[in-house]
Amino acid sequence: MTLTFLLRVGAIVLALLGNSLGAPRSFSVDYKNDCFRKDGEEFRYISGSIHYNRIPRVYWKDRLLKMYMAGLNTIQTYIPWNFHEPSPNQYNFNGDRDVQHFLQLAQDIGLLVILRPGPYICAEWDMGGLPAWLLKKRSIVLRSSDPDYIAAVDKWMGKLLPMMKPLLYQNGGPIISVQVENEYGSYFACDYNYMSHLSKLFQGHLGDEAVLFTTDGAGLSYLKCGSIQGLYATVDFGPGSNISAAFNAQRHAEPHGPLVNSEFYAGWLDHWGSRHATVSTAIVAKALNEILALGANVNLYMFIGGTNLVPMAQAGDLTEKYFAIREVIKRYRKIPEGPIPPSTPKYAYGVVKMAKVQTVLSALEKLSFSGPVKSIYPLSFIEINQVFGFVLYSTKLPVNCSTPTPLSSPLNGVHDRAYVSVDGVPMGILERSKVLTINITGSSGSRVDLLVENMGRLNYGGGINDFKGLVSNLTLGEDVLSGWTMYSLNIDEAVSQGLIQKTQAPGSSHPASSPAGLSLPTFYSGSFRIPDGIPDLPQDTYVQFPGWRKGQVWINGFNLGRYWPVRGPQVTLFVPANVLSTAAPNNVTLLELEGSPCTTGPCVVEFTETPILNTTVSTGPCPRLFLRGG
Ligand SMILES: *[C@@H]1O[C@H](CO)[C@@H](O)[C@H](O)[C@H]1NC(C)=O
Ligand SMILES: *[C@@H]1O[C@H](CO)[C@@H](O)[C@H](O)[C@H]1NC(C)=O
Ligand SMILES: *[C@@H]1O[C@H](CO)[C@@H](O)[C@H](O)[C@H]1NC(C)=O
Ligand SMILES: *[C@@H]1O[C@H](CO)[C@@H](O)[C@H](O)[C@H]1NC(C)=O
Ligand SMILES: *[C@@H]1O[C@H](CO)[C@@H](O)[C@H](O)[C@H]1NC(C)=O
Ligand SMILES: *[C@@H]1O[C@H](CO)[C@@H](O)[C@H](O)[C@H]1NC(C)=O
């Protein structure tokens, strides 16, 4: 094959130069011996997935070291485009986004890297890593030869890949191989021109020596559109699969070369309202053993996930699965000696009193930096330049609704959840695919407000053009509502600037009683000090929300995430020590969207030592979407 030939030529040139520079570095696919070849030696990787974008930078080294000590010789990571180019031509590679530093740390620790730069990555990440601003062209066909999509991809890869080139193995760095696209064979477009364009683009930036590959589900139907000549085809499958059948599928696309499972599912993701997913340690260990016994290369997906427990927990804790996997790996390669860094200590800071601050409606001016936008019919988030979070949609009742009148989204266009009030009285919640109609009452001219929440864009499948906000018209009875005023809210900014403060605004001090048992979306705050006299504080902790229903939590202005204990299964959020301060009181801000416990019971959040991830309270009325792993 051309690739191997070129690699050999490259290796000879390097060998000639190599005498004074030390051993030449090369990495290639050996089609003759069905293996990878590194520096001329047969090589097999045992890898684990870790996403730097899900871990605070201060913990990168700890997690990588634990992966190394588990016996892995390689890690695999994606690069989410939308994490680094949040708006067109605005690049961010600093702090938690410093991917070059992350890769350098991996190399310093002794790990090789399999890089998966997309452009589409799936990854259980917003829009599969694609930036939402691509949707400014309404009709764009993502992951295809659509010229607007290609132009954006070319520009992004023109920025990213030259940064990665010096980090390729043959250039002295840790990156042994680079994946092009991701599970493209599962996507409806099946556009060979697109894959062929990407293949040339990657080769152009990284050089002919770079080992480029694709990953697809282990079935011929996936490999049909996902694999393309010139890119080494690999497969992904979990411990429940028939391993020989899965590798037979890869052999169909690649009759020769190393066997590779690019995503071996050591755990699984959770959805709100579904049972907590678990994958038994015994089954993972057994299947891993079988894969390694075949001489195959494998990447455990994930090794450390986000919230979900895989071999390593979110807080970097060593689990039973971690040690079981280490025991399996030990049978196949010499694993490093020396102590494994311990799980980080946790501290229970205890109960923190919360107090009501103000409602979203009373804080509108402070939350909407750009001021309102008016339109006859509703505009989507992206049309008013909002990417994440919340937009407030407001209009007036055109008629008297003295009896309950249906407010509907007949085309299922509330993306994803709308907290509805009339003249400051909560009326109910519309929810995408679940609740398309509620009844409201009010008189002609009353103000109707819908606080619309983006709950994350679909990351997989034909629906990734996932517009947010009110993406189709609402009806009141038979009439289409019109005359909208929309407030784009930058709550992160307002919280971190300390703008959310108690006001004397009318209506904000006494909760209006609601027919639905709901309260208006409202901010609460509280603070706590790190105790004196205890060594090594602050330490990591978990925050829990007794009696709260659904909302968002910030600590010292850092947006920690979403809580939804009434739906589950996740009840606690991980609080890494680096967001806490010993110098000043730590400020906790909640935006509670449905109703607080504060009128009926203790108005507190609690910091505890242990996570709770497996309490499914409500499954909701809708069948869950099936998402593929990677
Ligand atoms: C697994 O797949 C192989 C090859 O396709 C087949 O021969 C075998 O019967 C399968 N095993 C099971 C348990 O289904
Ligand atoms: C709406 O109802 C109020 C009384 O509740 C009445 O005064 C008003 O005329 C009605 N308006 C319309 C448009 O029917
Ligand atoms: C709305 O109110 C009508 C009349 O009271 C009732 O029949 C209907 O079930 C209600 N719809 C919803 C969605 O609550
Ligand atoms: C709302 O309805 C109007 C009139 O039928 C239509 O022109 C407009 O495109 C619709 N807007 C949305 C967001 O569906
Ligand atoms: C918490 O808020 C108070 C009052 O605004 C401020 O003085 C303090 O510095 C904040 N704490 C931290 C850790 O930022
Ligand atoms: C949840 O997880 C804990 C800790 O692993 C376990 O003790 C408990 O039995 C689990 N509960 C459910 C409902 O699965």
Side-chain angles (χ1 to χ4, degrees), residues 377-378 471-473 480:
Y377 300 111
V471 307
S472 61
N473 286 307
V480 168

Side-chain angles (χ1 to χ4, degrees), residues 241-246 248:
S241 297
N242 179 328
I243 294 169
S244 47
N248 282 349

